[in-house]
Amino acid sequence: MAKELDARIRRVLARGAVIPAHPLALTAERRLDERRQRALSRYYIAAGASGLAVGVHTTEFAIRDPHVGLFDPVLKLAAEEMDRADRNLP
């Protein structure tokens, strides 16, 4: 049985939410650049994004591979920045 969508989320989606694909920030060594990844999240949030779609670029599907190990950390960083933005709402 499908879980009911949270009422807050339903209201945001009903008003027309923008949820952009979130780019991946890597260092020259192709490792996660946490500082720049957080900066990208904050940029999209400041621009009015209602959410962030992590790991949806076709070039980034590999981050979902458990051997690559990037999906969970990138998702966690994006969630932390979204939560921080929510806490700072008036």
Side-chain angles (χ1 to χ4, degrees):
M1 180 175 203
K3 184 179 174 185
E4 178 86 14
L5 192 61
D6 181 278
R8 280 186 326 156
I9 296 170
R10 195 174 327 110
R11 282 192 302 273
V12 168
L13 293 173
R15 358 179 248 266
V18 174
I19 305 173
H22 196 327
L24 182 60
L26 299 176
T27 65
E29 295 77 30
R30 301 185 58 79
R31 300 218 188 298
L32 178 61
D33 187 329
E34 183 176 327
R35 183 177 65 86
R36 287 186 172 88
Q37 192 69 43
R38 286 184 184 278
L40 281 167
S41 296
R42 289 190 304 270
Y43 169 80
Y44 281 106
I45 294 164
S50 302
L52 299 168
V54 173
V56 297
H57 281 283
T58 56
T59 57
E60 295 177 1
F61 285 162
I63 75 168
R64 292 173 176 262
D65 182 334
H67 295 99
V68 173
L70 283 176
F71 187 64
D72 286 342
V74 173
L75 192 59
K76 181 178 179 236
L77 293 173
E80 287 173 358
E81 293 302 325
M82 291 295 296
D83 288 346
R84 180 177 290 127
D86 283 348
R87 285 191 304 270
N88 292 328
L89 286 175

